C-alpha cells in the first residue's frame, strides 16, 4: 500500500476586520494587516482557515438585541484582502455574523464567494447554515463544519436566515453528530470549527471537553475551536481554542489576549501527523511573529495549558511542536 496523502492546514482564530482594522486596510492595503512571515505561513499551507468575526458589507444597521454591545462590520475590500493573504476558507457561525442584520450577512456570503473564499456556518436558512464548506486541498477532499453555541436568537431555521446554532450545554445535538458522521464517510478530512464557550476563559470548560470527544467519536478528523480570545491546550486531534488572529481589542495585562498562535497541522485521513504552533503578537490592527519575552510567555502558557492533556511542547525553528507525552 502507498503512503497516505498528507496536507498542511493553517488555522487561525478570530479575525475581526472592522473598526481599526478596516482603517488600517484602507490606509495600507492587505499587506499592512500581517507581517510577511505570517502571510507566508498562510499562503504556504494547502488550506488556510480563519473565523471571520464580523460581517463584510456596507449595508445594515447595528443589531439592537439585549446585551449586544459590540458591532463589527468590515468594508467590501476585506474579502479580497483575505484572499490576498492566502485565506482559503472562513467560518461564520459566531456571535458577530449578524451584527448588522440579515442583509449584511447576505453581502458577506456574496463577497466571500466573489473572492474565491469558501465559507460555512451561516446562510439564508438552516440547511444552508449547517452545510459544510467543501474544498479540495493537496489532493484531499476537506469538509469544514462551522457551528456556534452563542447568539441563540440568530439560529437559522426553516426559511429563516442565521447561523448554525448548537447548544453544547445539554450534550451535543444529534443533528451535528449525524452531520459529522455522514461527512466522514464522504470526505477525506472533516474539520469541525466550533465557536464555543465564554470569552476570556483560560481553559475549556468540562462540557466543551465532552463535546469535543463526541465530535471526534462521530468522525471529526480535527476539532479546532475559538471564542475565548485566548488560546487553550491541545489534546490529540482537538485544538480547544485558537485564540485571536487579528483585531483592535483592548489588551488584558494579565491574560495577554494580544499573544496568540497560528496552528499548522499536517494531517491525513486518519488524523493529525504533526501539530505546530507559530507564536503571534497582535498589535493594534496588525499581526506579526512574537519574539523575545512575548514568545517566552506564549511558550510557558501553552505548556501549562497542554499539561492536563498529556501534551508536550518542544521548540523547532521558531515554532512550537506539540506531541503526546
Amino acid at each position: 500500500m502507498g503512503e497516505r496523502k498528507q496536507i498542511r492546514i493553517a488555522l487561525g482564530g478570530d479575525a475581526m476586520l472592522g473598526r481599526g482594522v478596516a482603517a488600517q486596510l484602507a490606509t495600507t492595503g492587505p499587506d499592512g494587516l500581517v507581517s510577511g512571515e505570517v502571510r507566508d505561513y498562510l499562503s504556504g499551507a494547502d488550506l488556510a482557515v480563519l473565523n471571520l468575526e464580523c460581517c463584510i458589507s456596507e449595508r445594515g444597521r447595528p443589531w439592537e438585541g439585549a446585551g449586544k454591545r459590540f458591532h463589527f462590520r468590515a468594508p467590501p475590500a476585506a474579502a479580497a484582502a483575505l484572499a490576498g493573504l492566502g485565506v482559503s476558507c472562513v467560518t461564520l457561525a459566531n456571535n458577530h455574523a449578524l451584527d448588522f442584520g440579515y442583509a449584511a450577512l447576505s453581502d458577506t456570503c456574496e463577497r466571500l464567494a466573489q473572492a474565491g473564499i469558501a465559507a460555512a456556518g451561516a446562510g439564508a436558512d438552516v440547511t444552508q447554515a449547517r452545510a459544510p464548506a467543501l474544498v479540495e486541498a493537496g489532493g484531499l477532499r476537506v469538509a469544514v463544519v462551522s457551528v456556534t453555541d452563542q447568539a441563540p436568537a440568530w439560529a437559522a431555521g426553516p426559511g429563516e436566515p442565521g447561523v448554525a446554532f448548537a447548544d453544547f450545554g445539554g450534550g451535543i445535538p444529534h443533528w451535528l453528530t449525524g452531520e459529522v458522521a455522514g461527512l466522514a464517510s464522504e470526505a477525506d478530512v472533516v474539520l469541525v470549527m466550533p465557536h464555543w464557550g465564554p470569552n476570556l476563559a483560560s481553559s475549556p470548560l468540562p462540557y466543551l471537553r465532552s463535546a469535543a470527544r463526541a465530535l471526534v467519536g462521530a468522525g471529526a478528523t480535527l476539532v479546532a475551536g475559538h471564542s475565548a480570545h485566548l488560546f487553550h491546550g491541545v489534546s490529540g486531534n482537538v485544538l480547544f481554542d485558537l485564540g485571536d488572529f487579528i483585531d483592535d481589542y483592548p489588551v488584558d495585562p494579565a491574560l495577554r489576549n494580544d499573544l496568540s498562535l497560528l496552528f499548522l497541522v499536517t494531517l491525513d485521513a486518519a488524523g493529525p501527523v504533526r501539530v505546530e504552533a507559530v507564536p503571534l503578537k497582535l498589535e493594534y490592527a496588525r499581526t506579526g511573529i512574537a519574539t523575545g519575552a512575548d514568545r517566552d510567555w506564549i511558550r510557558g502558557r501553552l505548556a501549562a495549558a497542554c499539561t492536563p492533556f498529556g501534551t508536550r511542547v518542544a521548540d523547532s525553528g521558531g515554532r512550537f511542536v506539540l506531541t503526546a507525552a
Side-chain angles (χ1 to χ4, degrees), residues 261-264 275-279 298 302 316 318-322:
L261 295 165
L262 176 67
F263 284 89
L264 305 174
V275 178
E276 299 176 281
V278 179
I298 293 173
L302 181 60
S316 177
R319 302 185 294 275
F320 307 125
V321 179
L322 293 84

Side-chain angles (χ1 to χ4, degrees), residues 256 259 281 290-301 320:
R256 295 302 306 269
L259 299 180
K281 175 66 181 292
T291 59
D294 289 334
R295 181 190 182 281
D296 293 341
W297 190 95
I298 293 173
R299 191 193 191 287
R301 169 79 179 91
F320 307 125

Side-chain angles (χ1 to χ4, degrees), residues 4-6 140 187-190 221 267-271:
R4 288 184 174 138
K5 287 184 178 179
Q6 297 182 356
L140 294 182
D188 299 307
V189 170
V190 180
T221 314
L267 48 72
D268 59 23

Side-chain angles (χ1 to χ4, degrees), residues 77-100:
L82 287 172
L85 294 176
V87 176
S88 324
C89 179
V90 297
T91 55
L92 301 177
N94 57 57
N95 57 317
H96 290 285
L98 275 82
D99 275 0
F100 283 80

Side-chain angles (χ1 to χ4, degrees), residues 31 33-43 286-289:
D31 289 342
L33 301 184
V34 304
S35 71
E37 290 174 279
V38 174
R39 181 174 186 156
D40 288 345
Y41 281 122
L42 292 173
S43 61
R286 178 177 169 82
T287 298
I289 302 296

Side-chain angles (χ1 to χ4, degrees), residues 228-309:
H229 303 300
L230 307 172
F231 63 84
H232 289 173
V234 173
S235 176
N237 43 1
V238 179
L239 318 177
F240 280 101
D241 203 294
L242 304 171
D244 285 354
F245 180 76
I246 187 169
D247 57 49
D248 65 355
Y249 302 156
V251 178
D252 186 297
L255 296 175
R256 295 302 306 269
N257 52 299
D258 62 325
L259 299 180
S260 192
L261 295 165
L262 176 67
F263 284 89
L264 305 174
V265 183
T266 302
L267 48 72
D268 59 23
V273 176
R274 182 179 176 88
V275 178
E276 299 176 281
V278 179
L280 299 180
K281 175 66 181 292
L282 278 62
E283 304 285 357
Y284 182 88
R286 178 177 169 82
T287 298
I289 302 296
T291 59
D294 289 334
R295 181 190 182 281
D296 293 341
W297 190 95
I298 293 173
R299 191 193 191 287
R301 169 79 179 91
L302 181 60
C306 285
T307 295
F309 304 111

Side-chain angles (χ1 to χ4, degrees), residues 8 29 59 107 183 191 242 245 264:
R8 181 183 244 197
R59 296 195 293 165
D107 289 347
L183 291 170
L191 170 61
L242 304 171
F245 180 76
L264 305 174

